[in-house]
Amino acid sequence: MELIRDESGQAATEYILILTIIVSFYMGLMTVIDKAQLGERLMGPIVGSYAMTYKYGNPKAKGFDEGTPENHPRAVIDGKVRLFINPR
């Protein structure tokens, strides 16, 4: 004896359930990333030491943009400033 079942709407229900699971996972992941401040932690070296290393050749160096120049060897000859960068 074959049972007659009304399966209309099953695909839509499955789609809604899967979409609910995916959105819930995404929202949970975004909450964890926000509370752990993961974005700021990942950007810290990029805007800090990596930027100074790229700009001045030393991660602890500072220039006129950051206040007083320090922590990089320089020579002033005839009013021209020359910076020396260690090739490592």
Side-chain angles (χ1 to χ4, degrees), residues 14-82:
E14 290 174 357
Y15 175 76
I16 290 171
L17 288 174
I18 298 251
L19 190 61
T20 303
I21 292 169
I22 291 172
V23 169
S24 299
F25 178 74
Y26 176 77
M27 289 176 60
L29 185 65
M30 289 296 115
T31 303
V32 168
I33 288 174
D34 188 39
K35 285 186 179 181
Q37 297 177 346
L38 192 59
E40 290 83 11
R41 288 183 184 179
L42 290 174
M43 289 298 293
I46 295 172
V47 298
S49 63
Y50 295 160
M52 294 302 116
T53 301
Y54 178 78
K55 193 172 183 180
Y56 301 115
N58 185 347
K60 296 179 182 177
K62 294 181 181 178
F64 289 108
D65 294 337
E66 293 81 32
T68 305
E70 58 185 37
N71 291 333
H72 52 81
R74 59 193 179 277
V76 179
I77 302 172
D78 298 328
K80 296 179 183 176
V81 176
R82 301 199 181 225

Side-chain angles (χ1 to χ4, degrees), residues 5-18:
R5 295 182 180 169
D6 184 19
E7 296 181 359
S8 65
Q10 181 178 355
T13 304
E14 290 174 357
Y15 175 76
I16 290 171
L17 288 174
I18 298 251

